Amino acid sequence: MDYKLLLDTAVMAGELMLANGAETYRVEDTMQRMLELSGLKTAEAFVMVTGFLVTLDDPSIQSMTVTRRIHSRGTNLSIIDEINSISRGLCGGELELEEAFRKIKKLKKEPHPPQAFLLANAGVAAAFALTYGGTWQEAFVAGVAGFFMAICLYLCSCMKLPSFFGILLSAVVISLFAGGLLKFLPIIGNLDSIIIAAIMPLVPGVAITNAVFDTLHGDYISGSARMMEAFVVAASVAMGIVIGLRFIQ
């Protein structure tokens, strides 16, 4: 077996999973199963929220260790599901190592287009407005606010700004747009309903869920880190909404 290729495949899989919102224990379990295909005496993966360390070692080969730092994290359950499928196929003997490496590398090279991100956020905001009992007018305004929020998030990501500032500015955009529009056209709907619906894509639900899962699986450091991350995101959203509303008053 090409141990270097196996190590690179596991590292790339773990990097993508961790960067797209997978639980720490899931990333560690996936990488561990892939590394154990080597049959070597030592095949270890140690994963935390901000990075991981993997090692392959045996008396018959020279030790190989790789460290990866994850600088930004988002949520893309589709990529996590695809990597899980590739990992299961590789471990089950349905995929060759080279084919698994090519598939994972393709996922890394071909991220989803920004248009899908923008439209998805607008659709989610509009759907939440209807779910909370809002009118079609409120859903439309919430959808447009969610669209502008997504543009702000995307631009902040392109400029490599810290996630705190990106979320803060996006929340400011939501409150400025919704508040400014309803100030001139009060017949459109309720400001609170529109803002609540528009900020739902920013709510750290995945981070909170992962924090609970990691804690229950014994990863207390990762669980605490994810809980703190959720708190910072929630605080950013709240501060952004308040700042935006203060501007339009």
Side-chain angles (χ1 to χ4, degrees):
M1 174 178 285
D2 188 340
Y3 299 124
K4 180 65 167 60
L5 182 60
L6 177 64
L7 187 64
D8 290 342
T9 304
V11 166
M12 196 183 307
E15 189 176 4
L16 282 175
M17 292 182 73
L18 204 56
N20 286 282
E23 307 95 313
T24 303
Y25 83 91
R26 184 188 298 276
V27 178
E28 192 168 275
D29 180 68
T30 299
M31 297 179 70
Q32 187 70 41
R33 290 176 183 272
M34 296 174 73
L35 293 173
E36 287 177 354
L37 293 175
S38 65
L40 299 178
K41 182 178 180 180
T42 301
E44 294 288 345
F46 175 71
V47 181
M48 298 182 68
V49 177
T50 55
F52 56 82
L53 178 71
V54 293
T55 298
L56 284 177
D57 190 21
D58 194 81
S60 62
I61 66 168
Q62 186 175 1
S63 177
M64 292 183 289
T65 300
V66 175
T67 303
R68 280 290 184 275
R69 180 80 162 83
I70 307 300
H71 297 281
S72 62
R73 293 177 298 278
T75 302
N76 192 327
L77 301 182
S78 175
I79 287 182
I80 297 173
D81 178 66
E82 290 185 55
I83 293 179
N84 273 334
S85 298
I86 295 171
S87 173
R88 291 177 185 275
L90 177 63
C91 295
E94 301 171 7
L95 284 178
E96 295 294 331
L97 178 58
E98 292 78 7
E99 184 180 0
F101 178 80
R102 285 196 300 270
K103 287 188 174 184
I104 295 176
K105 190 173 183 179
K106 183 178 180 182
L107 287 176
K108 187 175 182 179
K109 284 187 173 181
E110 297 180 1
H112 291 289
Q115 296 88 340
F117 174 74
L118 302 180
L119 294 176
N121 277 275
V124 168
F128 269 111
L130 295 175
T131 301
Y132 294 149
T135 64
W136 285 101
Q137 291 174 315
E138 291 173 348
F140 176 76
V141 176
V144 177
F147 182 79
F148 284 118
M149 175 271 293
I151 291 177
C152 182
L153 271 180
Y154 179 72
L155 293 177
C156 290
S157 175
C158 292
M159 292 186 290
K160 307 296 183 182
L161 292 179
S163 59
F164 173 84
F165 293 105
I167 294 172
L168 178 69
L169 293 175
S170 300
V172 170
V173 168
I174 290 174
S175 56
L176 283 177
F177 175 81
L181 184 62
L182 266 68
K183 189 173 183 179
F184 296 101
L185 297 173
I187 60 173
I188 288 180
N190 182 271
L191 177 61
D192 293 342
S193 299
I194 293 172
I195 289 180
I196 291 172
I199 66 173
M200 289 308 293
L202 297 176
V203 173
V206 173
I208 294 174
T209 303
N210 288 348
V212 174
F213 277 138
D214 287 340
T215 302
L216 293 178
H217 282 79
D219 297 320
Y220 300 115
I221 296 178
S222 296
S224 301
R226 288 189 186 275
M227 190 61 71
M228 182 59 67
E229 178 186 8
F231 172 79
V232 170
V233 171
S236 303
V237 173
M239 290 174 59
I241 295 298
V242 171
I243 292 172
L245 292 178
R246 293 289 291 179
F247 271 113
I248 63 175
Q249 286 181 352

